[in-house]
Amino acid sequence: MSQSTLREMRPFDTVIRRARWFDGTGAPSEVRDVGLRNGRVESVSAQPLDTTGCPDVVDADGLWLLPGMIDIHTHYDVEVLQGPALVESLRHGVTTVLLGSCSLSTVHVDSVDAGDLFGRVEAIPRQHVIEHVQEQKTWHDAASYVEALERLPLGPNLAAFLGHSDVRTATMGLDRATRDDVVPTESELRRMEQMLESALAAGFVGMSAQQLLFDKLDGDLCRSRTLPSTFARSREMRRLRSILRRRDRVLQAGPDASHPHTILVQALHSIGLPRLGRRPLRTSLLSAADLKAIPFVIHLMRGLAGTVNRLGADFRWQHLPVPFEVYADGVDLVIFEEFGTGAAALHLSEKIARDELMRDPAYRAAFRKDYEAKYSPRVWHRDFFDAEIVACPDADVVGKSFGQVGVERGGQHPVDAFLDLVIEHGTAVRWRTTISGHRPQVLRKIAAEKGVQMGFSDAGAHLRNMAFYNFGLRLLKHVRDAERAGEPFLTMERAVHRMTGELADWYGIDAGHLRLGDRADLMLVDPERLDDSLEEYAEEPCAQYGGLSRMVNRNDATVPLVMVGGRAVWRDGAATEALGQERTGRFLRAGTRSAEPRTTPSAQVQQAQARMGAPTPGG
């Protein structure tokens, strides 16, 4: 008997029994036993598998077995260095995360520049960014960065974009990279090209760039300037895009919302010209959002994707498939960056200086003018009547909007009511509002669009403002609820595919499927716990950032088991001993598979399966 036959006859490492199995391709789901061996799916059987000698038998009757979900837009670049378990994503079934979004990565910049890039834009404490990069950085280029990541006890799998602001800063220096009157020299352009080529050779999925003008730098050197990527001119971007196009890698981009034509330009750049030998540029654009501020724009976005893809593009919108609810402590919220008076307040890091500014009658008048400018491009709806106070030392205002507080204070303008409370209580005034995704029927339409990708969670960033770690579970709930109401908009299989195999295939990474031979990155879901608890928020101290209280989700009953590479990392509401101590995840290199899935078992495998109770093909 051959060694391969003997190997197939060994006991399974894990058997998951009687789960509703989704393979991540969109194919019909079926109740199956699934056997795992050596970190891979070894058997998928309609009949009970032999569990003799198997140390881990999971009774999954009534549960769903899914491939681990993929989060295509995170900012874990800093946290992963000292908290590589990334448990806040893992516990919700996300087994693969992409780093390097929004032009930001830590591949080339030094620690101080990393602090200036990440601190204010992503609301991660600057001092901790500097400390983490300074303490952990052993790498000097993309290849050694990947090696450094793979030495960490990774929880989930990682893939990565190279950030354009990262390479621009490392090449030109942060000051020169953020000046309108400075253009990179030819040698600097060549160096940026070499950095990108090296990153793609190391397996990066592509490059992220940014044109959004309300993403501002932290620190003192260049404080309140926009990100370096926003200063790139067409020649620079054309050269970098040509590399991505030639290598068939992805450009993740954020257009300038204040200049809507930049959205069209990004979409048109995705179009290929086969007659001229120009392939499409795979483009993932931020983001398809049903904004309260501009309710009609989502329909233009949906139409744009379909049009350019029919013309030969490979264009996708990133989309958060849940209401985009944000929380804020006082004035500390990125949406204030989109207009002058809000950015002026955030420019000042000291409360005393901010309070002095907010008391100034001229400043207040200017803030009211910005607030009332109804037709300027915007993300925030600028309606303080749609902003609920959830915590404040003055208990009388809790549960009310700032607008309502102003009315009760004798008809005070909502801006003045807001500024007065911030001056009096600072960051102790905690409030929330929903920016987009507020219309369930529109969310359903977007989720079914071919030109849309599920993602944009921002996991790892905006620690006090947003918590979308469970966005995938919430989409499943939305689909399940629509099915039960007799108003389906996606099959459950298609919904799973949208968050797993579809993303893996488009980005070219070895993840997102649960077929024979695939790596056993998976999750169990209790469909009866896809309930209203998914919409609740909690707070948890974040050890990586000095115990700062982070907004999180807690749905442990919904996801009883998560495995990465066949190793249980989350079980019954708790991390396993392996998580954070052993490396279960790996760096996924674009265009590389560790093994091909098996759709038809070999004769030897069929014989072994027959002996173990599994059906042969057609059986």
Side-chain angles (χ1 to χ4, degrees), residues 66-74 76 84-98 155-158 454-455 457 459 468-473 499-500 503 511 521-525 553 559 561-564 569-570 579 584-585:
L66 281 59
M69 290 186 283
I70 299 170
D71 191 342
I72 60 173
H73 189 116
T74 81
Y76 277 132
L86 301 182
V87 66
E88 293 302 340
S89 287
L90 265 184
R91 70 193 302 157
H92 299 292
V94 174
T95 58
T96 298
V97 301
L98 271 64
N157 304 308
L158 306 179
M454 300 299 109
S457 77
F468 303 120
Y469 298 95
N470 69 352
F471 72 96
L473 298 177
M499 296 182 293
T500 58
L503 298 172
D521 302 328
L522 57 85
M523 62 186 296
L524 282 177
V525 172
N553 306 113
V559 184
L561 177 67
V562 180
M563 303 183 82
V564 178
V569 292
W570 187 263
L579 186 58
T584 52

Side-chain angles (χ1 to χ4, degrees), residues 251-485:
L251 174 65
Q252 182 208 80
D256 176 9
S258 65
H259 295 85
H261 74 278
T262 62
I263 297 173
L264 178 61
V265 170
Q266 291 282 11
L268 292 176
H269 279 310
S270 179
I271 297 173
L273 299 172
R275 293 181 180 178
L276 300 179
R278 188 176 98 156
R279 68 196 312 168
L281 173 61
R282 281 191 285 161
T283 303
S284 178
L285 202 64
L286 313 179
S287 70
D290 179 25
L291 295 170
K292 280 187 178 181
I294 320 175
F296 68 86
V297 75
I298 186 60
H299 304 295
L300 300 179
M301 291 179 175
R302 293 170 56 208
L304 177 63
T307 299
V308 296
N309 285 332
R310 284 191 295 271
L311 294 173
D314 195 354
F315 177 87
R316 302 290 186 273
W317 288 105
Q318 290 189 18
H319 168 63
L320 181 69
V322 302
F324 196 88
E325 185 179 38
V326 296
Y327 283 66
D329 297 320
V331 76
D332 288 335
L333 186 61
V334 70
I335 58 174
F336 287 118
E337 301 276 21
E338 72 177 355
F339 57 95
T341 48
L346 292 174
H347 175 75
L348 302 172
S349 57
E350 298 296 331
K351 184 180 186 308
I352 293 175
R354 280 188 184 179
D355 289 352
E356 183 179 352
L357 177 70
M358 289 187 285
R359 288 190 182 96
D360 182 356
Y363 173 81
R364 287 182 169 233
F367 198 123
R368 289 193 296 269
K369 184 177 180 180
D370 283 338
Y371 175 85
E372 293 169 351
K374 300 300 183 185
Y375 300 106
S376 60
R378 64 182 64 194
V379 172
W380 177 37
H381 48 71
R382 300 186 200 174
D383 181 1
F384 276 129
F385 281 93
D386 186 6
E388 180 190 2
I389 301 167
V390 297
C392 183
D394 180 357
D396 288 341
V397 303
V398 175
K400 301 175 183 178
S401 70
F402 292 107
Q404 184 180 353
V405 170
V407 169
E408 293 177 358
R409 291 183 174 183
Q412 188 181 31
H413 194 284
V415 165
D416 292 308
F418 170 74
L419 294 176
D420 283 349
L421 284 171
V422 172
I423 291 171
E424 184 175 358
H425 303 293
T427 56
V429 181
R430 188 150 176 79
W431 55 281
R432 68 182 176 192
T433 190
T434 298
I435 303 296
S436 65
H438 54 295
R439 297 184 291 184
Q441 69 276 18
V442 177
L443 281 178
R444 293 179 181 186
K445 291 178 180 179
I446 304 172
E449 287 284 341
K450 292 182 179 179
V452 162
Q453 292 180 336
M454 300 299 109
F456 197 51
S457 77
D458 261 356
H462 306 289
L463 307 180
R464 297 287 299 148
N465 305 138
M466 292 179 278
F468 303 120
Y469 298 95
N470 69 352
F471 72 96
L473 298 177
R474 292 180 70 178
L475 178 62
L476 295 180
K477 176 184 184 296
H478 197 184
V479 172
R480 198 278 315 269
D481 289 350
E483 284 182 347
R484 290 184 171 180

Side-chain angles (χ1 to χ4, degrees), residues 167 171-173 176 182-193:
V167 300
T171 299
M172 302 173 64
R176 290 185 66 246
V182 176
V183 177
T185 65
E186 177 60 27
S187 64
E188 288 171 335
L189 283 173
R190 286 199 299 269
R191 186 179 180 212
M192 283 189 264
E193 290 174 315

